[in-house]
Structures are given as structure tokens and as C-alpha cells.
PDB file of all heavy atoms in Angstrom:
ATOM      1  N   VAL A   1     -40.732   0.846  17.627  1.00  0.00           N
ATOM      2  CA  VAL A   1     -40.911   1.473  18.930  1.00  0.00           C
ATOM      3  C   VAL A   1     -42.293   1.280  19.438  1.00  0.00           C
ATOM      4  O   VAL A   1     -42.548   0.932  20.639  1.00  0.00           O
ATOM      5  CB  VAL A   1     -40.514   2.950  18.786  1.00  0.00           C
ATOM      6  CG1 VAL A   1     -40.901   3.659  20.055  1.00  0.00           C
ATOM      7  CG2 VAL A   1     -39.096   3.134  18.466  1.00  0.00           C
ATOM      8  N   LEU A   2     -43.271   1.445  18.591  1.00  0.00           N
ATOM      9  CA  LEU A   2     -44.682   1.281  18.988  1.00  0.00           C
ATOM     10  C   LEU A   2     -44.977  -0.080  19.513  1.00  0.00           C
ATOM     11  O   LEU A   2     -45.558  -0.426  20.438  1.00  0.00           O
ATOM     12  CB  LEU A   2     -45.608   1.610  17.797  1.00  0.00           C
ATOM     13  CG  LEU A   2     -45.869   3.105  17.469  1.00  0.00           C
ATOM     14  CD1 LEU A   2     -46.533   3.307  16.094  1.00  0.00           C
ATOM     15  CD2 LEU A   2     -46.625   3.859  18.593  1.00  0.00           C
ATOM     16  N   GLU A   3     -44.434  -1.139  18.660  1.00  0.00           N
ATOM     17  CA  GLU A   3     -44.661  -2.505  18.957  1.00  0.00           C
ATOM     18  C   GLU A   3     -43.996  -2.805  20.307  1.00  0.00           C
ATOM     19  O   GLU A   3     -44.517  -3.586  21.283  1.00  0.00           O
ATOM     20  CB  GLU A   3     -44.065  -3.408  17.893  1.00  0.00           C
ATOM     21  CG  GLU A   3     -45.052  -3.505  16.813  1.00  0.00           C
ATOM     22  CD  GLU A   3     -46.141  -4.353  17.041  1.00  0.00           C
ATOM     23  OE1 GLU A   3     -46.196  -5.632  17.102  1.00  0.00           O
ATOM     24  OE2 GLU A   3     -47.330  -3.849  17.337  1.00  0.00           O
ATOM     25  N   GLY A   4     -42.762  -2.338  20.555  1.00  0.00           N
ATOM     26  CA  GLY A   4     -42.037  -2.551  21.792  1.00  0.00           C
ATOM     27  C   GLY A   4     -42.856  -1.951  22.985  1.00  0.00           C
ATOM     28  O   GLY A   4     -42.960  -2.628  24.104  1.00  0.00           O
ATOM     29  N   CYS A   5     -43.486  -0.824  22.862  1.00  0.00           N
ATOM     30  CA  CYS A   5     -44.248  -0.274  23.884  1.00  0.00           C
ATOM     31  C   CYS A   5     -45.519  -0.999  24.120  1.00  0.00           C
ATOM     32  O   CYS A   5     -45.885  -1.173  25.314  1.00  0.00           O
ATOM     33  CB  CYS A   5     -44.605   1.245  23.551  1.00  0.00           C
ATOM     34  SG  CYS A   5     -43.173   2.394  23.491  1.00  0.00           S
ATOM     35  N   ARG A   6     -46.076  -1.340  23.027  1.00  0.00           N
ATOM     36  CA  ARG A   6     -47.419  -2.122  23.172  1.00  0.00           C
ATOM     37  C   ARG A   6     -47.203  -3.504  23.978  1.00  0.00           C
ATOM     38  O   ARG A   6     -48.029  -3.763  24.855  1.00  0.00           O
ATOM     39  CB  ARG A   6     -47.913  -2.340  21.691  1.00  0.00           C
ATOM     40  CG  ARG A   6     -49.111  -3.494  21.714  1.00  0.00           C
ATOM     41  CD  ARG A   6     -49.263  -3.990  20.280  1.00  0.00           C
ATOM     42  NE  ARG A   6     -50.192  -5.046  20.272  1.00  0.00           N
ATOM     43  CZ  ARG A   6     -50.407  -5.889  19.131  1.00  0.00           C
ATOM     44  NH1 ARG A   6     -49.724  -5.666  18.073  1.00  0.00           N
ATOM     45  NH2 ARG A   6     -51.284  -6.844  19.352  1.00  0.00           N
ATOM     46  N   HIS A   7     -46.228  -4.120  23.632  1.00  0.00           N
ATOM     47  CA  HIS A   7     -46.156  -5.488  24.079  1.00  0.00           C
ATOM     48  C   HIS A   7     -45.347  -5.541  25.573  1.00  0.00           C
ATOM     49  O   HIS A   7     -45.273  -6.601  26.137  1.00  0.00           O
ATOM     50  CB  HIS A   7     -45.245  -6.454  23.219  1.00  0.00           C
ATOM     51  CG  HIS A   7     -46.020  -6.748  21.968  1.00  0.00           C
ATOM     52  ND1 HIS A   7     -47.177  -7.474  21.977  1.00  0.00           N
ATOM     53  CD2 HIS A   7     -45.863  -6.410  20.694  1.00  0.00           C
ATOM     54  CE1 HIS A   7     -47.604  -7.706  20.683  1.00  0.00           C
ATOM     55  NE2 HIS A   7     -46.866  -6.945  19.847  1.00  0.00           N
ATOM     56  N   ASN A   8     -44.852  -4.423  25.935  1.00  0.00           N
ATOM     57  CA  ASN A   8     -44.165  -4.428  27.219  1.00  0.00           C
ATOM     58  C   ASN A   8     -44.646  -3.406  28.380  1.00  0.00           C
ATOM     59  O   ASN A   8     -43.947  -2.940  29.168  1.00  0.00           O
ATOM     60  CB  ASN A   8     -42.652  -4.158  27.015  1.00  0.00           C
ATOM     61  CG  ASN A   8     -42.076  -5.358  26.126  1.00  0.00           C
ATOM     62  OD1 ASN A   8     -41.754  -6.390  26.586  1.00  0.00           O
ATOM     63  ND2 ASN A   8     -41.984  -5.136  24.833  1.00  0.00           N
ATOM     64  N   ASN A   9     -45.888  -3.044  28.188  1.00  0.00           N
ATOM     65  CA  ASN A   9     -46.581  -2.191  29.129  1.00  0.00           C
ATOM     66  C   ASN A   9     -45.836  -0.888  29.548  1.00  0.00           C
ATOM     67  O   ASN A   9     -45.732  -0.500  30.671  1.00  0.00           O
ATOM     68  CB  ASN A   9     -46.821  -3.040  30.508  1.00  0.00           C
ATOM     69  CG  ASN A   9     -47.588  -4.274  30.166  1.00  0.00           C
ATOM     70  OD1 ASN A   9     -48.666  -4.187  29.651  1.00  0.00           O
ATOM     71  ND2 ASN A   9     -47.035  -5.472  30.615  1.00  0.00           N
ATOM     72  N   VAL A  10     -45.343  -0.255  28.459  1.00  0.00           N
ATOM     73  CA  VAL A  10     -44.733   1.123  28.685  1.00  0.00           C
ATOM     74  C   VAL A  10     -45.941   2.055  29.023  1.00  0.00           C
ATOM     75  O   VAL A  10     -46.918   2.121  28.404  1.00  0.00           O
ATOM     76  CB  VAL A  10     -44.071   1.483  27.405  1.00  0.00           C
ATOM     77  CG1 VAL A  10     -43.646   2.981  27.392  1.00  0.00           C
ATOM     78  CG2 VAL A  10     -42.810   0.698  27.161  1.00  0.00           C
ATOM     79  N   ASP A  11     -45.628   2.810  30.066  1.00  0.00           N
ATOM     80  CA  ASP A  11     -46.681   3.822  30.561  1.00  0.00           C
ATOM     81  C   ASP A  11     -46.937   4.965  29.610  1.00  0.00           C
ATOM     82  O   ASP A  11     -48.074   5.463  29.665  1.00  0.00           O
ATOM     83  CB  ASP A  11     -46.158   4.397  31.858  1.00  0.00           C
ATOM     84  CG  ASP A  11     -46.010   3.419  33.049  1.00  0.00           C
ATOM     85  OD1 ASP A  11     -46.695   2.371  32.889  1.00  0.00           O
ATOM     86  OD2 ASP A  11     -45.245   3.677  33.971  1.00  0.00           O
ATOM     87  N   HIS A  12     -45.888   5.387  28.948  1.00  0.00           N
ATOM     88  CA  HIS A  12     -46.081   6.650  28.087  1.00  0.00           C
ATOM     89  C   HIS A  12     -44.941   6.766  27.056  1.00  0.00           C
ATOM     90  O   HIS A  12     -43.746   6.466  27.332  1.00  0.00           O
ATOM     91  CB  HIS A  12     -45.888   7.861  28.961  1.00  0.00           C
ATOM     92  CG  HIS A  12     -46.288   9.110  28.258  1.00  0.00           C
ATOM     93  ND1 HIS A  12     -46.017  10.342  28.902  1.00  0.00           N
ATOM     94  CD2 HIS A  12     -46.923   9.475  27.130  1.00  0.00           C
ATOM     95  CE1 HIS A  12     -46.504  11.371  28.100  1.00  0.00           C
ATOM     96  NE2 HIS A  12     -47.001  10.763  27.030  1.00  0.00           N
ATOM     97  N   LEU A  13     -45.455   6.893  25.827  1.00  0.00           N
ATOM     98  CA  LEU A  13     -44.503   7.107  24.567  1.00  0.00           C
ATOM     99  C   LEU A  13     -44.495   8.543  24.219  1.00  0.00           C
ATOM    100  O   LEU A  13     -45.576   9.012  23.773  1.00  0.00           O
ATOM    101  CB  LEU A  13     -44.870   6.188  23.482  1.00  0.00           C
ATOM    102  CG  LEU A  13     -44.158   6.535  22.052  1.00  0.00           C
ATOM    103  CD1 LEU A  13     -42.628   6.344  22.212  1.00  0.00           C
ATOM    104  CD2 LEU A  13     -44.678   5.655  20.990  1.00  0.00           C
ATOM    105  N   VAL A  14     -43.380   9.277  24.465  1.00  0.00           N
ATOM    106  CA  VAL A  14     -43.213  10.583  23.905  1.00  0.00           C
ATOM    107  C   VAL A  14     -42.404  10.625  22.675  1.00  0.00           C
ATOM    108  O   VAL A  14     -41.272   9.859  22.659  1.00  0.00           O
ATOM    109  CB  VAL A  14     -42.660  11.603  25.010  1.00  0.00           C
ATOM    110  CG1 VAL A  14     -42.397  12.940  24.441  1.00  0.00           C
ATOM    111  CG2 VAL A  14     -43.531  11.622  26.182  1.00  0.00           C
ATOM    112  N   TYR A  15     -42.666  11.126  21.492  1.00  0.00           N
ATOM    113  CA  TYR A  15     -42.039  10.994  20.324  1.00  0.00           C
ATOM    114  C   TYR A  15     -41.921  12.460  19.582  1.00  0.00           C
ATOM    115  O   TYR A  15     -42.738  13.304  19.807  1.00  0.00           O
ATOM    116  CB  TYR A  15     -42.583  10.063  19.318  1.00  0.00           C
ATOM    117  CG  TYR A  15     -44.058  10.382  18.953  1.00  0.00           C
ATOM    118  CD1 TYR A  15     -44.223  11.025  17.740  1.00  0.00           C
ATOM    119  CD2 TYR A  15     -45.164  10.014  19.720  1.00  0.00           C
ATOM    120  CE1 TYR A  15     -45.574  11.404  17.246  1.00  0.00           C
ATOM    121  CE2 TYR A  15     -46.506  10.507  19.330  1.00  0.00           C
ATOM    122  CZ  TYR A  15     -46.636  11.005  18.097  1.00  0.00           C
ATOM    123  OH  TYR A  15     -47.935  11.375  17.662  1.00  0.00           O
ATOM    124  N   ALA A  16     -40.859  12.556  18.788  1.00  0.00           N
ATOM    125  CA  ALA A  16     -40.587  13.770  18.118  1.00  0.00           C
ATOM    126  C   ALA A  16     -41.447  13.865  16.759  1.00  0.00           C
ATOM    127  O   ALA A  16     -41.189  12.923  15.910  1.00  0.00           O
ATOM    128  CB  ALA A  16     -39.077  13.852  17.805  1.00  0.00           C
ATOM    129  N   SER A  17     -42.235  14.842  16.604  1.00  0.00           N
ATOM    130  CA  SER A  17     -42.802  15.173  15.356  1.00  0.00           C
ATOM    131  C   SER A  17     -42.002  16.410  14.890  1.00  0.00           C
ATOM    132  O   SER A  17     -40.891  16.622  15.298  1.00  0.00           O
ATOM    133  CB  SER A  17     -44.269  15.391  15.471  1.00  0.00           C
ATOM    134  OG  SER A  17     -44.860  15.554  14.220  1.00  0.00           O
ATOM    135  N   SER A  18     -42.642  17.203  14.057  1.00  0.00           N
ATOM    136  CA  SER A  18     -41.999  18.335  13.587  1.00  0.00           C
ATOM    137  C   SER A  18     -42.916  19.373  13.058  1.00  0.00           C
ATOM    138  O   SER A  18     -44.030  19.097  12.630  1.00  0.00           O
ATOM    139  CB  SER A  18     -41.104  17.836  12.328  1.00  0.00           C
ATOM    140  OG  SER A  18     -40.567  18.969  11.575  1.00  0.00           O
ATOM    141  N   SER A  19     -42.473  20.689  13.117  1.00  0.00           N
ATOM    142  CA  SER A  19     -43.219  21.687  12.515  1.00  0.00           C
ATOM    143  C   SER A  19     -43.391  21.542  11.060  1.00  0.00           C
ATOM    144  O   SER A  19     -44.329  22.169  10.494  1.00  0.00           O
ATOM    145  CB  SER A  19     -42.549  23.050  12.810  1.00  0.00           C
ATOM    146  OG  SER A  19     -41.246  23.213  12.213  1.00  0.00           O
ATOM    147  N   SER A  20     -42.626  20.769  10.446  1.00  0.00           N
ATOM    148  CA  SER A  20     -42.704  20.536   8.985  1.00  0.00           C
ATOM    149  C   SER A  20     -44.110  19.952   8.636  1.00  0.00           C
ATOM    150  O   SER A  20     -44.463  20.035   7.487  1.00  0.00           O
ATOM    151  CB  SER A  20     -41.532  19.586   8.522  1.00  0.00           C
ATOM    152  OG  SER A  20     -40.379  20.091   8.668  1.00  0.00           O
ATOM    153  N   VAL A  21     -44.748  19.343   9.613  1.00  0.00           N
ATOM    154  CA  VAL A  21     -46.096  18.831   9.155  1.00  0.00           C
ATOM    155  C   VAL A  21     -47.067  19.758   8.618  1.00  0.00           C
ATOM    156  O   VAL A  21     -48.001  19.551   8.041  1.00  0.00           O
ATOM    157  CB  VAL A  21     -46.703  17.929  10.385  1.00  0.00           C
ATOM    158  CG1 VAL A  21     -45.781  16.796  10.776  1.00  0.00           C
ATOM    159  CG2 VAL A  21     -47.110  18.909  11.524  1.00  0.00           C
ATOM    160  N   TYR A  22     -46.914  21.061   9.055  1.00  0.00           N
ATOM    161  CA  TYR A  22     -47.792  22.122   8.708  1.00  0.00           C
ATOM    162  C   TYR A  22     -47.657  22.445   7.164  1.00  0.00           C
ATOM    163  O   TYR A  22     -48.565  22.997   6.604  1.00  0.00           O
ATOM    164  CB  TYR A  22     -47.522  23.391   9.440  1.00  0.00           C
ATOM    165  CG  TYR A  22     -47.958  23.201  10.968  1.00  0.00           C
ATOM    166  CD1 TYR A  22     -47.130  22.955  12.009  1.00  0.00           C
ATOM    167  CD2 TYR A  22     -49.366  23.272  11.314  1.00  0.00           C
ATOM    168  CE1 TYR A  22     -47.452  22.828  13.279  1.00  0.00           C
ATOM    169  CE2 TYR A  22     -49.777  23.043  12.513  1.00  0.00           C
ATOM    170  CZ  TYR A  22     -48.823  22.812  13.630  1.00  0.00           C
ATOM    171  OH  TYR A  22     -49.254  22.620  14.795  1.00  0.00           O
ATOM    172  N   GLY A  23     -46.650  21.958   6.593  1.00  0.00           N
ATOM    173  CA  GLY A  23     -46.479  22.108   5.025  1.00  0.00           C
ATOM    174  C   GLY A  23     -46.843  23.357   4.385  1.00  0.00           C
ATOM    175  O   GLY A  23     -46.346  24.403   4.725  1.00  0.00           O
ATOM    176  N   GLY A  24     -47.798  23.273   3.599  1.00  0.00           N
ATOM    177  CA  GLY A  24     -48.348  24.504   2.822  1.00  0.00           C
ATOM    178  C   GLY A  24     -49.236  25.319   3.595  1.00  0.00           C
ATOM    179  O   GLY A  24     -49.800  26.333   2.988  1.00  0.00           O
ATOM    180  N   ASN A  25     -49.407  25.080   4.842  1.00  0.00           N
ATOM    181  CA  ASN A  25     -50.368  25.982   5.598  1.00  0.00           C
ATOM    182  C   ASN A  25     -49.724  27.425   5.623  1.00  0.00           C
ATOM    183  O   ASN A  25     -48.546  27.708   5.694  1.00  0.00           O
ATOM    184  CB  ASN A  25     -50.528  25.586   6.992  1.00  0.00           C
ATOM    185  CG  ASN A  25     -51.264  24.228   7.187  1.00  0.00           C
ATOM    186  OD1 ASN A  25     -51.551  23.513   6.212  1.00  0.00           O
ATOM    187  ND2 ASN A  25     -51.720  23.950   8.403  1.00  0.00           N
ATOM    188  N   THR A  26     -50.614  28.458   5.535  1.00  0.00           N
ATOM    189  CA  THR A  26     -50.263  29.917   5.500  1.00  0.00           C
ATOM    190  C   THR A  26     -50.865  30.698   6.638  1.00  0.00           C
ATOM    191  O   THR A  26     -50.330  31.769   6.991  1.00  0.00           O
ATOM    192  CB  THR A  26     -50.603  30.612   4.161  1.00  0.00           C
ATOM    193  OG1 THR A  26     -51.971  30.437   4.072  1.00  0.00           O
ATOM    194  CG2 THR A  26     -49.857  29.921   3.027  1.00  0.00           C
ATOM    195  N   ARG A  27     -51.812  30.014   7.421  1.00  0.00           N
ATOM    196  CA  ARG A  27     -52.435  30.837   8.477  1.00  0.00           C
ATOM    197  C   ARG A  27     -51.400  30.647   9.638  1.00  0.00           C
ATOM    198  O   ARG A  27     -50.936  29.618  10.099  1.00  0.00           O
ATOM    199  CB  ARG A  27     -53.757  30.151   8.920  1.00  0.00           C
ATOM    200  CG  ARG A  27     -54.487  30.922  10.073  1.00  0.00           C
ATOM    201  CD  ARG A  27     -55.754  30.420  10.313  1.00  0.00           C
ATOM    202  NE  ARG A  27     -55.883  29.085  10.718  1.00  0.00           N
ATOM    203  CZ  ARG A  27     -56.969  28.354  11.054  1.00  0.00           C
ATOM    204  NH1 ARG A  27     -58.071  28.982  10.824  1.00  0.00           N
ATOM    205  NH2 ARG A  27     -56.855  27.073  11.423  1.00  0.00           N
ATOM    206  N   MET A  28     -51.050  31.842  10.264  1.00  0.00           N
ATOM    207  CA  MET A  28     -50.148  31.848  11.315  1.00  0.00           C
ATOM    208  C   MET A  28     -50.781  32.436  12.597  1.00  0.00           C
ATOM    209  O   MET A  28     -51.714  33.232  12.528  1.00  0.00           O
ATOM    210  CB  MET A  28     -48.972  32.775  11.019  1.00  0.00           C
ATOM    211  CG  MET A  28     -48.192  32.351   9.819  1.00  0.00           C
ATOM    212  SD  MET A  28     -47.055  31.010  10.146  1.00  0.00           S
ATOM    213  CE  MET A  28     -46.439  30.688   8.470  1.00  0.00           C
ATOM    214  N   PRO A  29     -50.382  31.950  13.767  1.00  0.00           N
ATOM    215  CA  PRO A  29     -49.348  30.994  14.115  1.00  0.00           C
ATOM    216  C   PRO A  29     -49.894  29.635  13.808  1.00  0.00           C
ATOM    217  O   PRO A  29     -51.194  29.342  13.826  1.00  0.00           O
ATOM    218  CB  PRO A  29     -49.088  31.203  15.534  1.00  0.00           C
ATOM    219  CG  PRO A  29     -50.346  31.745  16.136  1.00  0.00           C
ATOM    220  CD  PRO A  29     -50.870  32.542  15.143  1.00  0.00           C
ATOM    221  N   PHE A  30     -49.086  28.646  13.679  1.00  0.00           N
ATOM    222  CA  PHE A  30     -49.547  27.211  13.444  1.00  0.00           C
ATOM    223  C   PHE A  30     -50.035  26.651  14.732  1.00  0.00           C
ATOM    224  O   PHE A  30     -49.430  26.831  15.778  1.00  0.00           O
ATOM    225  CB  PHE A  30     -48.366  26.369  12.983  1.00  0.00           C
ATOM    226  CG  PHE A  30     -47.762  26.627  11.648  1.00  0.00           C
ATOM    227  CD1 PHE A  30     -46.463  26.509  11.463  1.00  0.00           C
ATOM    228  CD2 PHE A  30     -48.587  27.169  10.632  1.00  0.00           C
ATOM    229  CE1 PHE A  30     -45.942  26.648  10.035  1.00  0.00           C
ATOM    230  CE2 PHE A  30     -48.038  27.439   9.376  1.00  0.00           C
ATOM    231  CZ  PHE A  30     -46.714  27.214   9.070  1.00  0.00           C
TER     232      PHE A  30
END
């Protein structure tokens, strides 16, 4: 997806990340 955007002048890539990235964090809110 990144390569397609890079080589074809895409204006903006919006992508799904996740709250899971906070992993072992305990300070709330994330």
C-alpha cells in the first residue's frame, strides 16, 4: 500500500492502527 501511494501521487493515506499498540502501558487514559 505504501509503495502504491508513493509511486502514484496519492494525496493522503489514512490507515488503521490499534489501541493494542499501548501494550503494557498502565497510565490512563492512553
Side-chain angles (χ1 to χ4, degrees):
V1 172
L2 286 169
E3 281 288 282
C5 292
R6 167 198 171 192
H7 289 294
N8 296 279
N9 302 311
V10 170
D11 295 336
H12 189 194
L13 166 63
V14 177
Y15 62 95
S17 185
S18 169
S19 63
S20 297
V21 300
Y22 289 103
N25 290 17
T26 57
R27 183 172 65 180
M28 300 284 176
F30 294 151

